[in-house]
Amino acid sequence: MSPVVQRFVGAVGAVVVAAVVNVATGFLTDHGSTRWWVSAAVLLVVGVAVQWWLPTAPAQPRIQSIEDNTVGGSVKQRSPGPTEQKARRNDIRGDLEQRQDG
């Protein structure tokens, strides 16, 4: 199962479990009773378990690459954050500017 589908199924499952526990709690208990607190604890544990099961996106390294080009002017590489910037086997007649902001 892809991470996107897994995250969607987990989120829908968490909402369904919350709704079932909410309805069951309303039928079975009064607020403040032991059963109500147990039901709330079960909901919390199941919700945390479902969210823990959901994957997080791995951090992908940023890479900017300019390779095998002939440029009659200047070349600029800019990134808003940490990035690996590469310039290989280029014929650049002007300037090469590589910049990282952040």
Side-chain angles (χ1 to χ4, degrees), residues 24-94:
T25 301
F27 282 126
L28 299 175
T29 67
D30 294 323
H31 289 292
S33 73
T34 304
R35 287 186 207 164
W36 187 87
W37 286 107
V38 169
S39 298
V42 167
L43 173 61
L44 180 63
V45 169
V46 170
V48 168
V50 167
Q51 293 301 317
W52 190 270
W53 172 71
L54 296 175
T56 56
Q60 298 291 329
R62 291 176 158 181
I63 299 173
Q64 291 180 332
S65 181
I66 300 173
E67 297 181 24
D68 300 318
N69 293 294
T70 300
V71 180
S74 299
V75 176
K76 295 181 182 181
Q77 286 182 313
R78 292 187 181 173
S79 172
T83 304
E84 181 180 351
Q85 295 175 319
K86 300 176 184 179
R88 297 183 199 160
R89 299 178 306 274
N90 294 298
D91 182 12
I92 301 171
R93 302 270 189 245

